[in-house]
């Protein structure tokens, strides 16, 4: 068994010693992610290219040392925390946009590129990279690929999974493979790209990513509607789609989320009696967008809202979005602990699952705040745990939520992944045979179980 300080000293001969960090400060900083779980690693390394990643993994493989790949550590499920110590492989320095190709409608980038930085660059060329997690200002594309990140525009444009054309992947023993090319169509060999997307750092380390781009929609309109309760906006969200309107975002916020935001952002223009909000965004050609926005506004009016705000320009739109994007931070400011779940159900099951959440709230006594993406059925349910009684009742509340989600045809996670916090629930969704296949794939790609050891399967 190799000792912690031996790992440090030997790694200094694998990559530039300036980028092998052993100080307690560096190790604490890389011990946690946004789940707030924390485990101290032996050492932190910051490679700058695929060869260095390969050399580090070969060293880890030969010595059977766990490796925890890290983008921006915004995972909310503990998927980036080094639960078994070992090496934290921080890819934030691998942040080059290698090529944006407007003819082929693709780009090749390194994993540490921050999502909005990339989006701004492609938009300069009138192109569009739609995946848009609410954490886009700080999370990395590598992390997005590893978690198959969703976000705010999935209803119209899909998730990260739909934009990954190919990957360069370093396997656990240091071999470097390629999984796809820049073509939109590919029927040659197995689709390893799709297997790696969403693998949460357990099958390989992505060192280059080829993403698909589309032309940038020239115009968009953002509307925020306020209601006296959840029934009208929930019904309205179904009505819009029934009437043939496909918005690019359809975001719901419940009363608890709203009241937290009102305290956190007292200048937010929310009528005080608001108990539910719907944020709707449409895009396309300017004239179409104008017509669509008018239609949407008319349908909202028919649902008798407390008020509607339509963004006057891009700046105003960002202000409306900042209300939605503030929810997570606002909830942290009103509770000692926040357990965030992100189940996803078929759209027809949204109303039943919201009823279940209310029942769980009343039996467990734990307040909840629910917001999320109505267009694709992905809801963020936050259990606001602030007393001993809440802590005691949390496990049965989660159990109840997940069981009902599966009964309704849904999944444990729409976008955050399984990581550490949901590992024990995986058998609720998958049977023995499927779990055996998952584990056989893990064994094939990572026979020594060093990559993100302890995640997904516990
Ligand atoms: C306020 C807030 C809002 C959020 N909103 C959303 C949202 O709308 N939609 C959504 O999907 N998520 C959301 N998230 C969750 C999180 O931002 C995503 O899971 C994101 O994809 C993680 O990216 P990251 O760079 O921070 O990765 P990390 O947290 O560092 O890592 C996440 C996982 O990816 C693996 N990984 C990272 N890079 C690589 C790589 N190059 N190769 C292999 N594995 C790798 C890690 O090992 C880990 O398992 C939100 C989080 C916060 C805090």
């Amino acid at each position: 068994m190799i000792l912690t300080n031996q790992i440090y000293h030997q790694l200094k001969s694998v990559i530039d010693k300036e980028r092998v960090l052993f100080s307690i400060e560096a190790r604490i900083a890389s011990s946690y992610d946004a789940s707030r779980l924390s485990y101290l690693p032996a050492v932190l390394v910051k490679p700058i290219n695929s060869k260095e990643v390969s050399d580090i993994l070969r060293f880890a493989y030969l010595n059977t040392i766990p490796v925890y790949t890290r983008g921006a550590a915004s995972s909310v499920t503990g998927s980036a925390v080094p639960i078994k110590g070992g090496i934290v492989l921080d890819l934030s320095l691998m942040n080059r946009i290698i090529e944006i190709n407007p003819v082929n409608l693709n780009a090749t980038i390194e994993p540490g590129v921050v999502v909005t930085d990339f989006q701004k660059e492609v938009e300069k060329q009138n192109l569009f990279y739609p995946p848009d997690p609410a954490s886009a200002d700080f999370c990395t594309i590598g992390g997005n690929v590893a978690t198959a990140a969703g976000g705010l525009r999935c209803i119209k444009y899909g998730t990260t999974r739909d934009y990954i054309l190919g990957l360069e992947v370093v396997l656990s023993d240091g071999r470097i493979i390629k999984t796809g090319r820049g073509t939109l169509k590919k029927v040659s060999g197995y689709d390893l790209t799709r297997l790696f997307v969403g693998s949460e750092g357990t099958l390989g380390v992505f060192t280059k990513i080829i993403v698909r781009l589309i032309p940038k929609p020239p115009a968009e309109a953002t509307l925020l509607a306020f209601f006296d309760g959840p029934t009208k906006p929930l019904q309205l969200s179904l009505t819009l789609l029934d009437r043939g309107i496909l918005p690019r975002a359809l975001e719901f916020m419940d009363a608890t989320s709203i009241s937290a935001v009102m305290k956190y952002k007292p200048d937010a223009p929310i009528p005080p009696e608001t108990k539910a909000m719907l944020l709707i965004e449409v895009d396309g050609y300017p004239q179409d967008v104008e017509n669509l926005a008018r239609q949407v506004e008319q349908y909202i009016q028919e649902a008798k809202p407390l008020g509607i705000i339509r963004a006057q320009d891009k700046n105003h739109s960002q202000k409306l979005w900042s209300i939605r994007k503030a929810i997570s931070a606002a909830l942290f400011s009103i509770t000692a602990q926040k357990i965030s779940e992100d189940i996803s159900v078929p759209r027809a099951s949204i109303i039943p699952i919201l009823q279940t959440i209310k029942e769980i709230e009343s039996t467990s006594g734990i307040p909840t705040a629910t917001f999320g993406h109505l267009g694709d059925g992905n809801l963020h349910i936050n259990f606001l745990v602030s007393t001993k009684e809440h802590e005691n009742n949390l496990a049965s509340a989660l159990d109840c939520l997940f069981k009902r989600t599966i009964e309704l045809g849904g999944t444990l996670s729409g976008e955050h992944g399984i990581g550490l916090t949901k590992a024990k629930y995986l058998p609720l969704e998958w049977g023995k045979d499927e779990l055996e296949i998952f584990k056989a794939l893990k064994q094939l790609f990572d026979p020594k179980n060093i990559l993100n050891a302890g995640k997904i399967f516990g």
Side-chain angles (χ1 to χ4, degrees):
M1 176 77 169
I2 187 164
L3 297 171
T4 299
N5 62 347
Q6 287 175 324
I7 299 178
Y8 168 58
H9 288 298
Q10 292 190 25
L11 272 171
K12 284 196 294 184
S13 62
V14 175
I15 70 167
D16 178 354
K17 61 181 187 328
E18 299 291 315
R19 290 181 281 104
V20 182
L21 305 172
F22 187 58
S23 69
I24 189 68
E25 292 84 354
R27 287 157 65 211
I28 289 175
S30 57
S31 69
Y32 62 87
D33 63 17
S35 68
R36 301 191 169 194
L37 297 168
S38 170
Y39 298 88
L40 207 60
V43 65
L44 166 68
V45 284
K46 296 187 165 201
I48 51 170
N49 57 42
S50 312
K51 165 138 190 348
E52 288 192 349
V53 173
S54 166
D55 291 344
I56 294 163
L57 286 192
R58 190 169 304 109
F59 166 79
Y61 185 82
L62 290 174
N63 294 287
T64 320
I65 303 166
V67 176
Y68 293 89
T69 309
R70 187 180 185 84
S74 67
S75 165
V76 289
T77 64
S79 66
V81 297
I83 185 170
K84 292 187 193 286
I87 300 168
V88 167
L89 185 70
D90 178 335
L91 297 184
S92 57
L93 297 180
M94 290 180 64
N95 60 356
R96 282 181 314 138
I97 297 175
I98 297 165
E99 186 195 15
I100 296 174
N101 191 319
V103 178
N104 293 338
L105 287 176
N106 64 28
T108 305
I109 51 183
E110 290 186 329
V113 174
V114 170
V115 178
T116 45
D117 291 349
F118 177 58
Q119 285 169 328
K120 282 181 196 150
E121 280 308 307
V122 300
E123 285 177 28
K124 283 182 193 162
Q125 304 200 33
N126 250 342
L127 296 168
F128 191 40
Y129 176 69
D132 190 29
S135 49
D137 285 345
F138 46 89
C139 68
T140 66
I141 302 266
N144 279 198
V145 176
T147 56
L152 307 160
R153 302 172 184 147
C154 297
I155 176 177
K156 182 164 180 183
Y157 291 108
T159 68
T160 304
R161 196 180 286 286
D162 301 300
Y163 292 86
I164 307 305
L165 297 174
L167 296 167
E168 177 185 85
V169 184
V170 183
L171 300 178
S172 69
D173 59 5
R175 278 177 296 157
I176 302 179
I177 63 162
K178 291 194 169 61
T179 69
R181 296 167 185 278
T183 56
L184 202 53
K185 292 179 172 174
K186 176 190 97 63
V187 197
S188 153
Y190 293 130
D191 192 348
L192 295 182
T193 307
R194 277 182 95 83
L195 177 63
F196 280 111
V197 177
S199 60
E200 299 191 48
T202 63
L203 298 183
V205 177
F206 320 137
T207 43
K208 286 195 187 75
I209 300 166
I210 307 176
V211 303
R212 175 185 167 211
L213 303 171
I214 58 174
K216 184 172 159 12
E220 67 215 27
T222 314
L223 297 102
L224 182 62
F226 309 96
F227 297 91
D228 55 8
T231 315
K232 291 174 189 167
L234 291 174
Q235 197 48 54
L236 174 65
S237 72
L238 297 174
T239 311
L240 283 178
L241 295 160
D242 285 348
R243 294 183 180 181
I245 294 180
L246 184 60
R248 76 171 183 184
L250 190 53
E251 292 293 305
F252 170 75
M253 291 148 269
D254 79 351
T256 313
S257 310
I258 294 164
S259 93
V261 171
M262 284 163 89
K263 284 194 194 117
Y264 186 73
K265 273 173 86 73
D267 58 338
I270 305 172
E273 61 279 30
T274 306
K275 295 280 181 280
M277 288 197 297
L278 205 54
L279 197 154
I280 304 171
E281 193 161 86
V282 289
D283 67 359
Y285 287 108
Q287 216 163 359
D288 296 341
V289 168
E290 189 47 42
N291 289 339
L292 273 174
R294 282 211 198 115
Q295 264 179 300
V296 170
E297 206 163 339
Q298 183 196 324
Y299 296 144
I300 298 174
Q301 291 294 6
E302 285 171 14
K304 307 217 177 324
L306 298 169
I308 312 178
I309 302 177
R310 177 168 169 190
Q312 299 307 308
D313 54 35
K314 185 98 190 146
N315 212 4
H316 192 193
S317 161
Q318 277 167 2
K319 285 203 172 122
L320 299 185
W321 270 109
S322 72
I323 295 175
R324 160 66 182 84
K325 290 187 180 181
I327 300 177
S328 209
L331 290 175
F332 268 123
S333 72
I334 61 163
T335 182
Q337 214 191 336
K338 171 170 92 73
I339 310 299
S340 310
E341 295 307 338
D342 81 313
I343 53 119
S344 191
V345 292
R347 285 195 314 113
S349 300
I350 292 175
I351 293 175
I353 198 71
L354 286 171
Q355 278 157 359
T356 301
I357 294 163
K358 283 289 143 209
E359 283 157 26
I360 294 174
E361 194 174 49
S362 87
T363 44
S364 68
I366 310 173
T368 63
T370 299
F371 60 94
H373 322 297
L374 281 191
D376 52 49
N378 179 206
L379 295 175
H380 296 290
I381 300 135
N382 295 267
F383 291 88
L384 310 179
V385 175
S386 54
T387 67
K388 198 79 205 147
E389 196 194 345
H390 294 164
E391 277 175 23
N392 293 340
N393 293 345
L394 183 64
S396 65
L398 292 178
D399 216 52
C400 202
L401 173 69
F402 292 138
K403 283 188 177 143
R404 183 73 181 130
T405 299
I406 304 296
E407 271 167 22
L408 289 168
T411 175
L412 298 174
S413 171
E415 50 187 20
H416 295 162
I418 298 299
L420 206 48
T421 57
K422 279 191 280 245
K424 70 175 176 193
Y425 299 104
L426 206 59
L428 285 181
E429 183 167 346
W430 300 105
K432 183 173 153 293
D433 292 341
E434 289 97 349
L435 286 171
E436 268 172 18
I437 293 171
F438 291 167
K439 286 178 186 166
L441 286 167
K442 169 73 175 162
Q443 171 72 19
L444 174 70
F445 284 98
D446 181 19
K448 289 194 169 181
N449 188 23
I450 58 169
L451 291 182
N452 218 356
K455 307 296 171 62
I456 303 187
F457 310 107

